[in-house]
Amino acid sequence: MSDTCDQIEQFGKAIGNVTRYNIVQELVTGPKNVSEIVKAIKCSQSVASQHLKILKQSNIVISERNGQEVSYRLNAKHALFLLKALTSNFKMEHKK
């Protein structure tokens, strides 16, 4: 399988979980720290942190440290790259 296919698979698995999808939806509006994410999606800090770790490993979310506070934001560039690759594959399959 190609590297892009592996990344698309990882992307799908990462946002295929309801909690992680809700985190992604929250981050669409802009960067947030863990406390803001916890409040928005109504889960514990440990649960949010575990899901953020998976989103970071999948390159969907980027973290930035500012002193003791860490904020999280979407890696929109990476997500758009994967979605474009996925849609171009659909277009090629449709033409066959």
Side-chain angles (χ1 to χ4, degrees):
M1 203 183 301
S2 76
D3 186 49
T4 303
C5 287
D6 290 340
Q7 289 177 27
I8 291 170
E9 179 183 24
Q10 195 173 28
F11 178 84
K13 286 179 180 178
I15 64 168
N17 173 280
V18 172
T19 302
R20 289 191 292 271
Y21 182 78
N22 288 334
I23 291 171
V24 169
Q25 278 192 302
E26 269 309 304
L27 295 177
V28 165
T29 61
K32 295 194 174 37
N33 63 36
V34 174
S35 297
E36 293 169 315
I37 293 168
V38 164
K39 184 177 178 182
I41 67 168
K42 298 176 177 84
C43 71
S44 69
Q45 184 171 343
S46 63
V47 168
S49 294
Q50 290 171 354
H51 287 293
L52 284 163
K53 180 180 177 182
I54 293 168
L55 290 168
K56 280 181 61 177
Q57 289 171 341
S58 301
N59 208 15
I60 296 169
V61 168
I62 298 170
S63 64
E64 296 172 345
R65 181 172 289 281
N66 187 9
Q68 289 189 341
E69 187 172 284
V70 178
S71 65
Y72 296 87
R73 67 178 172 86
L74 288 180
N75 185 353
K77 187 176 180 178
H78 180 69
L80 285 173
F81 165 78
L82 292 177
L83 292 171
K84 284 180 183 178
L86 182 62
T87 57
S88 70
N89 286 338
F90 282 142
K91 288 177 187 175
M92 285 190 288
E93 287 296 320
H94 183 62
K95 289 181 181 180
K96 288 182 180 179

